[in-house]
Structure formats: structure tokens, C-alpha cells
Amino acid sequence: MNKLHFDFLVNKKDNTLTIVREFNAERELVWDCYTKSELLEKWFAPKPLTAKTKTMDFKEGGYWLYAMIEPNGTEHWGRTDFTEIKPIDYYKSLDGFCDKNGNLNPALPRAKWHVSFLDLNEKSKVETIVTYNSLKDLETIIEMGMEDGLKSTLVRLDELLINLKK
């Protein structure tokens, strides 16, 4: 497989991460993988973790409540609140760590996500800008392994896209 473009850019002045990633699939299929819980569950966790959805309502004002589960069964819960959606172009959300009931953990950073989907003929590109409230929040997420976790997670998405295109 040819090397797909990947950038993980840290901007400490603006407290942002910019993640740019190409995929060997059309934009609509990649959009579906990011916005449908039955597909998210197949890729949205770094190996060896798995993802499980408790509830998802992909609409403005809706949210996705999910867990990343370690092989030993330990669950790490996350909540993504959708604030703006323009189908197959972009969505904006607020992302944070929470308990299994969706109650946010104020001790861990919450971030604004702007996820854009671009058409590159047979391929597509996803550009994600993640904005944190402070430099401390940004550094906390980096120290938690965001870059390596994201790389592993996106390789899983590559594998899923190959299977979905068969």
C-alpha cells in the first residue's frame, strides 16, 4: 500500500493540534466511518483496545457516548457532543472524558474538534483541528499518548476501509 499523508502538528501558541490524514477511499465512505456508531466501533480505539458505543445521536445537539476497552476489560469513557454538522463536508464537536453515564470528568481536558472531509478523487483527506482551553490541557493530551494512539487508530480505519470496499 502506498504511504498515505499524515501530519500531527502541535501549535502551543494557539493550544491546537492539527491532524491531516489521507485515506484510500472516497469521501462519503470515510464520512460514514466517522459518523456511524456501527463503523466507529470497528476502528475508533488504538490497538489493542476496542470501542463500544453506549449511545449515539449524530445530529446537532446530539452526542456519542462510548468506551475504549482494554483487553483486561477496563473501560475508558468518552463523550463527543455534536455542535455543528454539514454532511460529508465537516462536523464540529466538543470532546471530553467522562464516566459510563456521560458525566464529564472536569480533571481531564475537554476540546473543540473541527473535522473536515475533502475529496481527492479516488482518495480523501480528513483535516482535524483540535483546540484546547489551555497549553496545560494540550500538553496533558500529548503526554497521554495522543499522537501514537491516533496513528494506531487510523491504521485500523485504513484496514476497515479496505474491507468495506471489497
Side-chain angles (χ1 to χ4, degrees):
M1 184 166 87
N2 58 345
K3 195 92 170 109
L4 295 167
H5 181 88
F6 177 79
D7 283 328
F8 186 91
L9 309 170
V10 178
N11 182 330
K12 292 188 175 187
K13 185 169 82 54
D14 294 334
N15 305 324
T16 60
L17 295 175
T18 300
I19 301 117
V20 180
R21 182 64 152 69
E22 279 183 1
F23 296 97
N24 274 323
E26 294 176 6
R27 180 170 62 153
E28 284 188 54
L29 182 58
V30 176
W31 170 267
D32 286 349
C33 287
Y34 270 79
T35 61
K36 294 183 176 178
S37 62
E38 65 273 15
L39 295 173
L40 277 162
E41 286 185 350
K42 294 180 178 175
W43 71 272
F44 197 81
K47 289 179 182 177
L49 281 67
T50 56
K52 169 180 85 171
T53 296
K54 184 170 183 180
T55 183
M56 180 151 178
D57 189 7
F58 186 71
K59 68 177 186 189
E60 290 181 12
Y63 66 95
W64 179 39
L65 179 59
Y66 64 95
M68 289 187 194
I69 305 164
E70 294 180 27
N72 68 9
T74 302
E75 297 176 341
H76 304 277
W77 287 89
R79 178 178 172 136
T80 301
D81 289 88
F82 303 107
T83 57
E84 189 178 336
I85 298 170
K86 185 172 182 218
I88 84 164
D89 288 334
Y90 71 87
Y91 69 83
K92 294 181 181 181
S93 62
L94 284 169
D95 189 66
F97 299 91
C98 63
D99 64 18
K100 67 181 179 183
N101 297 313
N103 300 306
L104 291 166
N105 180 344
L108 290 171
R110 194 161 195 219
K112 292 179 184 154
W113 288 61
H114 184 165
V115 186
S116 301
F117 299 79
L118 303 145
D119 202 351
L120 304 175
N121 297 321
E122 302 294 308
K123 291 183 184 174
S124 57
K125 180 166 68 173
V126 176
E127 182 177 290
T128 305
I129 300 170
V130 187
T131 306
Y132 292 91
N133 292 326
S134 67
L135 179 57
K136 181 181 181 293
D137 286 355
L138 172 64
E139 289 176 338
T140 296
I141 289 297
I142 291 168
E143 288 165 17
M144 290 172 74
M146 174 83 159
E147 183 173 4
D148 287 340
L150 200 56
K151 282 180 183 173
S152 171
T153 299
L154 294 174
V155 167
R156 277 193 160 164
L157 178 51
D158 288 331
E159 293 164 357
L160 175 61
L161 289 166
I162 288 166
N163 288 329
L164 291 173
K165 287 174 23 176
K166 285 181 182 171

